Amino acid sequence: MKILALFFFFLNLFLFVLFTALTIIRFTLYPHTWISILHHTTLSLYMCCFPMGATTLINVAVEVINVDYGFGGPGFLYFIWAVWWVDVAISMLCCWGVVHIMTTTHTHSLQAMTAAWLLPVVTLTVAASSGGVLARALEQYSPLKALISVAVAVFLVTVGLTLALMIITIYLLRLIVHGLPPGHKILSVFLPLGPTAQSGYAILLIGQNFKSLLPLDHGTSEFLRSGSAGETINTVCVCIAFLLWSLAVMCIVFALLGIHDSVRQTRFPFMLPFWGLVFPNGVFANLTINLSVTFDSSFFRVLGAIYAIATLLVWIFVASRTVALVYDRTIFVESMDDDNSTAKHEPLPSSATSMAG
């Protein structure tokens, strides 16, 4: 499993660096595409996947490469910690910045809404989970830095989850009033798994870290020096994590029912939005497996393993289809069209569409 994790890590790292470099080159050669993408009601949301992609690298770099294999020691861990702070800053910029652009620049309607509205805010919950992973590794070197990381993670997951629950409520209203999203947009029904399951994982890690870091043996804070504070916080966090897991299960049932109903009525070809099936289902499997350890539950352990394998199979399917489209170059002319993709400013050039996709 560790070898498989390393394979995906280096593949992930290669693709992340490659497409980051290509994006920088594109924005340098065609600076107008940056503004055009920001004004596009769909592509501006998917741009927020950038910091979330970085957190997958951070988590594996810490847990597998640094902790399990001991690579780099504390120096490498502090380097990853610094990268995490940059990722936190970008995540905040995506959350507040893109949501602000949505309210001031875009033209949205309830009927055209999809769960992609969650992408700007889920960046915070994803960054919070990496904070919990880092804090667990930092504790042996600097309990203070670990505590700071956990405190920032609490802030991030609080803001991200609060905004996400607001948007999920609006999304449910949209489904009840206007029905399921048409065509390939139905694939977005899995996106609510992102903030619910990932927030549950982040909160679970937060509780474990507070249990380990508290009580403090210095300072004058009665709360932080309390012998029961860590245990209490951990108990509350486990309960919240299970609550969010239950909410994620509800989202899965609605998503499967929605896709089943949509596929019965219409067919649509493979396209880039299929990648939206991987991350939300992956984080649900991750939360389920971690809950199996917390509860020492065979049910959660087996369910998490089955769901993780299913997610891997989905990834293999989507990746193979993507490679095929790259080979015949059709993926580069595909347009992530959106019925509500008109902005109050200039339209999006075709070159920007292919790049952002």
Side-chain angles (χ1 to χ4, degrees), residues 202-224:
I203 292 172
L204 198 64
L205 291 178
I206 288 169
Q208 294 170 0
N209 279 295
F210 274 124
K211 179 183 178 181
S212 178
L213 291 168
L214 298 181
L216 296 182
D217 57 1
H218 59 277
T220 59
S221 172
E222 294 184 6
F223 173 74
L224 296 178

Side-chain angles (χ1 to χ4, degrees), residues 44-128:
S44 59
L45 305 180
Y46 281 94
M47 189 171 57
C48 299
C49 295
F50 173 77
M52 290 188 278
T55 57
T56 61
L57 292 168
I58 292 173
N59 291 349
V60 179
V62 173
E63 291 192 317
V64 179
I65 295 180
N66 183 259
V67 175
D68 289 346
Y69 286 99
F71 175 82
F76 179 72
L77 182 61
Y78 284 133
F79 168 75
I80 298 299
W81 191 54
V83 173
W84 175 71
W85 281 106
V86 176
D87 187 79
V88 168
I90 297 175
S91 298
M92 289 182 174
L93 186 62
C94 286
C95 179
W96 276 284
V98 175
V99 172
H100 176 71
I101 291 174
M102 291 175 66
T103 61
T104 58
T105 303
H106 295 169
T107 300
H108 292 280
S109 66
L110 184 63
Q111 184 173 2
M113 177 194 184
T114 68
W117 283 19
L118 290 166
L119 292 176
V121 303
V122 78
T123 55
L124 296 186
T125 63
V126 176

Side-chain angles (χ1 to χ4, degrees), residues 182-306:
H184 69 271
K185 296 178 186 177
I186 188 64
L187 298 175
S188 66
V189 294
F190 275 103
L191 290 181
L193 279 176
T196 51
Q198 191 71 0
S199 295
Y201 175 58
I203 292 172
L204 198 64
L205 291 178
I206 288 169
Q208 294 170 0
N209 279 295
F210 274 124
K211 179 183 178 181
S212 178
L213 291 168
L214 298 181
L216 296 182
D217 57 1
H218 59 277
T220 59
S221 172
E222 294 184 6
F223 173 74
L224 296 178
R225 291 175 62 89
S226 172
S228 60
E231 289 284 354
T232 302
I233 294 174
N234 184 49
T235 301
V236 172
C237 286
V238 170
C239 294
I240 295 174
F242 179 74
L243 183 151
L244 290 170
W245 180 87
S246 304
L247 184 59
V249 172
M250 178 200 72
C251 295
I252 291 175
V253 174
F254 279 133
L256 292 176
L257 290 174
I259 288 181
H260 176 263
D261 185 77
S262 179
V263 170
R264 286 176 56 193
Q265 301 179 27
T266 183
R267 295 290 190 273
F268 46 88
F270 176 85
M271 51 187 60
L272 286 172
F274 271 77
W275 278 104
L277 298 173
V278 178
F279 186 82
N281 288 292
V283 296
F284 176 78
N286 191 32
L287 173 60
T288 305
I289 292 171
N290 278 271
L291 284 176
S292 74
V293 177
T294 301
F295 296 135
D296 189 23
S297 168
S298 298
F299 168 77
F300 280 99
R301 187 175 299 112
V302 173
L303 177 63
I306 293 173

Side-chain angles (χ1 to χ4, degrees), residues 8-22:
F8 278 105
F9 171 80
F10 286 110
L11 175 62
N12 188 10
L13 179 63
F14 169 74
L15 293 175
F16 187 86
V17 172
L18 172 64
F19 287 108
T20 299
L22 291 176

